[in-house]
Amino acid sequence: MFIRHSIFQNSLMSALLDGIYDGEMTISELLAKGNFGIGTFNGLDGEMIILDGTCYQLRGDGSARVADLDQQTPYAVATNFVPRILVDAPRGLGRDELSAFIDEVEPSANYMYAVRITGRFSEVTTRTVVKQTKPYPPMTEAVGSDKELHFSNVEGVIGGFRTPVYERGISVPGCHVHFIDAARESGGHVLDYTVDEAKIELCPSSDLELRLPLTQEFGRANLAPEDLDKQLHTTEVKTTGGH
């Protein structure tokens, strides 16, 4: 059913929730770990999407640019994307409906999947985190000023990862995806979308390589808050759909 395949992750989602927005890993180092992925940049300066080995920075105003190789990231997930499951997306489905459809396509919910949805979308709604200044607030506060952007009849790519619930705190449980348009000019963290005509590609993974930052901030972080589920729901899960 599966061929062994690895996902690389830099730091923990629970560290990001605790306001650990500065990391030591460069984009150059990250790209050595995979040609596909998502994450964010130091200072929470926008969303990240990696496609075909190019890392894009999706800024707070919705614009996209190719990231500099010496930029750094406090949190990112990457893999070498090898699609093993390819299906056409049913037309007219929204985020939650398509997530349920992918659930049925997956051979098991107990593995990690990189997911790439490429095509035309009737609607895409995104938001993008705005660069933070020190002292950094917790992420539940940092996302409060996010602006929503709405795309209509747009071609592009929705990409990210579908992660089992047992990884909560390590990663984002459920489906965590970002969007970039076909011109690679704009995008963000996906809140909702409606498929017009698109193909779904899934890359199942059995192995996780986790790298923890060697920083004082990470060493002092509270990585097991009592309200972890609530924080994840506020910042990520409710805006990315279920698994």
Side-chain angles (χ1 to χ4, degrees):
M1 180 176 67
F2 281 96
I3 297 174
R4 285 211 169 269
H5 191 86
S6 294
I7 285 176
F8 170 83
Q9 182 169 315
N10 177 48
S11 194
L12 303 172
M13 186 62 203
S14 56
L16 207 61
L17 292 173
D18 200 45
I20 310 302
Y21 301 154
D22 290 329
E24 58 186 359
M25 188 173 206
T26 65
I27 300 306
S28 178
E29 291 175 300
L30 179 62
L31 290 175
K33 297 293 187 178
N35 62 7
F36 174 91
I38 58 174
T40 188
F41 297 86
N42 274 12
L44 222 58
D45 189 11
E47 311 284 351
M48 174 196 301
I49 187 167
I50 302 170
L51 294 175
D52 300 320
T54 300
C55 180
Y56 298 93
Q57 182 177 15
L58 312 173
R59 306 299 294 271
D61 61 359
S63 63
R65 63 180 291 272
V66 176
D68 298 326
L69 293 178
D70 60 357
Q71 285 183 258
Q72 294 174 307
T73 173
Y75 176 84
V77 188
T79 192
N80 284 311
F81 194 87
V82 182
R84 302 289 182 187
I85 301 168
L86 292 83
V87 293
D88 290 329
R91 299 185 71 163
L93 294 191
R95 177 199 68 186
D96 292 342
E97 297 164 310
L98 193 67
S99 184
F101 172 80
I102 296 175
D103 284 345
E104 298 299 318
V105 172
E106 290 175 356
S108 171
N110 294 334
Y111 296 94
M112 304 162 285
Y113 296 83
V115 57
R116 184 168 64 191
I117 307 170
T118 307
R120 186 169 61 248
F121 302 87
S122 303
E123 303 283 346
V124 179
T125 302
T126 67
R127 59 100 169 143
T128 303
V129 290
V130 178
K131 185 175 182 180
Q132 302 295 303
T133 56
K134 294 182 177 181
Y136 293 140
M139 196 172 180
T140 51
E141 297 177 20
V143 299
S145 59
D146 290 355
K147 293 181 180 179
E148 289 190 9
L149 290 176
H150 301 274
F151 301 85
S152 297
N153 299 315
V154 62
E155 293 188 5
V157 179
I158 290 174
F161 294 88
R162 292 169 63 83
T163 304
V165 173
Y166 60 72
E167 271 197 59
R168 77 170 184 257
I170 296 175
S171 190
V172 179
C175 188
H176 182 194
V177 288
H178 294 171
F179 169 76
I180 190 168
D181 67 357
R184 306 297 190 254
E185 293 178 348
S186 58
H189 174 103
V190 174
L191 302 181
D192 204 357
Y193 58 84
T194 302
V195 172
D196 186 3
E197 187 173 356
K199 63 178 181 178
I200 302 168
E201 299 170 288
L202 297 175
C203 173
S205 297
S206 57
D207 298 17
L208 177 65
E209 178 187 352
L210 181 63
R211 166 175 156 158
L212 301 180
L214 296 175
T215 62
Q216 291 183 349
E217 291 78 12
F218 183 86
R220 294 193 296 262
N222 177 13
L223 302 179
E226 292 183 1
D227 63 343
L228 175 61
D229 288 341
K230 181 180 179 182
Q231 289 189 45
L232 284 168
H233 183 78
T234 299
T235 60
E236 303 290 341
V237 177
K238 73 175 182 179
T239 60
T240 56
H243 192 342

